[in-house]
Amino acid sequence: MARFAQVILDRSTARPLDYSIPDGWSDRVAAGSRVRVPLRNRQVAGTVVSVSGATSAKGVRPIAAVMDERPQMTPVLMRLAKWMADYYGCDEQDALRCVLPRAVRETGHAPLKRKFAALAREVTPGEIAAMRTKAPRQAAIIDHLQRAGRAVAAAKLVAGPGSSDAALKALVRRGLVSVTAESVRRAPRGSEEFAATRPPTLSSEQERALEGIRPALHDPSANKPIVLKGITGSGKTEVYLRAIGEVLQAGKTALVLVPEISLTPQTVERFASRFTPQGIGVAVLHSHLSEGERHDEWHRVRDGKARIVIGARGAVFAPLGDLGLIVIDEEHDTSYKQDEGPRYHARDLAVVRAGMEPCAVLLGSATPSLESYENCRKGKYDLLELTHRHDGCVLPVFRVVDMRLRSRDGERNDQFISPKLATAIESRLAKGEQTILFLNRRGFFTVLACKACGKTVECPNCSISLTLHRAEDRARCHICGHAEKPPRRCPQCHDPQIAFSGVGTEKVEAAVRKMFPKARVARMDSDTMTRKDAYHETLGAFRARKIDILVGTQMIAKGLHFPGVTLVGIISADSALHLPDFRAGERTFQLLVQVAGRAGRGDAEGEVIVQTFTPAHPSLQFAKSHDFDGFAGHELEMRGNFGHPPYSHIVLITARADTAQKAEFAARTLAQKLSSAVPPSVMVSPAAPAPLARVRGMYRYQVVARGKQIRLLTKAIRGTLKALKLPKDVHIAVDVDPMAVL
Ligand code: ADP
Ligand code: ZN
């Protein structure tokens, strides 16, 4: 019976094309197979998405070649790609591209072969003696091989003085040495051998958490996603390790996702040292791998040589078979969202994948995302908690410094390090303890706040602050499109001191150096960390206590152990709070808790000093008392009142063009057409300039759509975009469930 394959071409439209499967090849071609097929007068690469017994297409041509004897994608990954295309409104081809990384899709990253030389036969002392005078280079090679007693990399053999490539060739000709090519693994950093570590005895709390997870590990069809909520240092990672151990024991595999920035050699080591001594391979997947490394790691996973994968967001597509558990650490972290098309969220995909496998899925965080937390409240997810810190440390003391008072006292406003913070730094320097100064400055944004009373100017319809658009002299809301003239006086206290402001890390570093000329100060942000190793070098120096004060952005906030740090100063909590985004409060809370987790992990008590113009803000107050549930309850109530996520889905559509007129026209037309294509329950904002109105020379306008049924929304958007004949030089980006409406 004739069989046909539906093939999506690598460099072509989304629609699959039919090709016939040559007789006798039906075992070799399945969904997920990589094939070469004829297209006009060329051959091109593609992926089989399905196989059928009939076709309605005319003039179907046969598949020319199968590129790999094993399907490259598991059936689950094929389904996941379909799901992605549907949910995120992208082409299936683009979804497949995520599933199958370029290093694997494209030839040219084939396994690295290296030549190895070995003795082909016993060489007698007499032969060597003769060689030493007539051909000393050959003798040197024989000596080397005899000493080694095994095969030696050819490159190594001929590298030493007194030997040469020609000498090796001569030995091969004489039949004394044989050379073979063998695949060698291009191993990423951090994948060397590790000494075995003995697992600690679990605390009763950890024991209880593991018991809560166990049913899902062994009966994955009854699995609900599980949120493991535990403060920093409460032993979540140890619980992951145990759960992974049980899954491996049952012959299955495990996937661990961590934020890119936390994927340090220390993190990998923690997992590898537990499992590699048992002979279980651990693969590492992240965006800094070379293509060769990615190719090799991917194949180790697909071939079952690595049964644990640790990786950043893209690792959610790791070709693990028999998956038993997916762990997403720091599940609230925004780096799980892919920032260019398809803009998927790795946590959400992980949950979907776990449902398809089926397997257990564990979401860990000290500050779960409100989406996940709400799912727990609704009973869709299970919630497990760890409440004690394992190292016996108490949570740090939070002190909030009200920066407004200082202004009133007539002090200089441009001093952004308060006397309280300065004194605290001073005392750390005297005791030889370390300080972290944190500033979450997101470059382009400024805060419109009153310096006298601390009031920030917000949209009347949405709980977000307004953003100034200088060119048009308007203060705008980026959720609903509300616009007003920027106030010249504070709407609350009528003081004319209302102004945009903002301080960057560089400014802080300079100020600290001036204040404490003897202190060793370093700065860590994306400006200073451009070199690949700068990050590890700075962290290494800090850990070795060669730095007293580290000034930085988010980079220093994540999952790092610094026993010497007893003070964390947050220069301004306000820059995060007043981002024009409804998630600003959540971000600030997460950040405060995370940064606080850096203080006092050693034996000295930690202190966190938060400087702010809005000390009464709920995010600060709840963080101060380490009260996640209080914060979440408060925030969710507000989200509910405004109909924001998690009670709705948002889709952000951004039009980009080289002139403002083109971008605006495209966005406006789109908003109009979309409004009439969706039911009234969907809210479509008018087109408005993006807060980042111009990026890399391109003007940006955006439309925000909000509704409860995401598929209805993405379908309408897709249809509208298809029908809308936009000029070629207008680019449209669709972001489903955006992390920020910027
Ligand atoms: P989290 O992932 O929640 O931040 P970790 O799992 O990293 O917490 O644990 C914090 C510290 O406590 C680590 O140094 C870890 O080795 C240690 N730890 C965790 N569980 C135990 C335990 N049961 N017994 C002893 N030490 C533990
Ligand atoms: Zn608004």
Side-chain angles (χ1 to χ4, degrees), residues 459 461-462 477 479-480 482:
C459 172
N461 308 319
C462 311
C477 167
I479 296 266
C480 71
H482 168 85

Side-chain angles (χ1 to χ4, degrees), residues 341-410:
R343 294 162 192 253
Y344 64 83
H345 197 300
R347 175 199 60 221
D348 298 345
L349 283 185
V351 170
V352 171
R353 179 172 178 181
M356 289 175 172
E357 292 280 351
C359 71
V361 56
L362 192 54
L363 314 179
S365 176
T367 51
S369 65
L370 291 178
E371 282 78 3
S372 298
Y373 189 72
E374 176 63 10
N375 278 326
C376 292
R377 295 213 304 191
K378 282 195 301 208
K380 269 177 79 177
Y381 293 5
D382 283 332
L383 178 65
L384 300 171
E385 292 195 53
L386 298 176
T387 55
H388 300 297
R389 266 173 87 147
H390 235 287
D391 40 19
C393 281
V394 285
L395 288 166
V397 183
F398 250 88
R399 291 184 215 290
V400 175
V401 176
D402 185 345
M403 298 300 271
R404 291 171 306 176
L405 297 177
R406 304 187 46 245
S407 318
R408 226 171 282 150
D409 293 347

Side-chain angles (χ1 to χ4, degrees), residues 200-203 206 230-238 270 390-391 561 601:
T201 316
L202 292 188
S203 68
Q206 286 172 316
I231 52 173
T232 321
S234 62
K236 293 185 294 295
T237 309
E238 189 54 44
R270 232 176 132 191
H390 235 287
D391 40 19
H561 267 273
R601 295 193 69 142

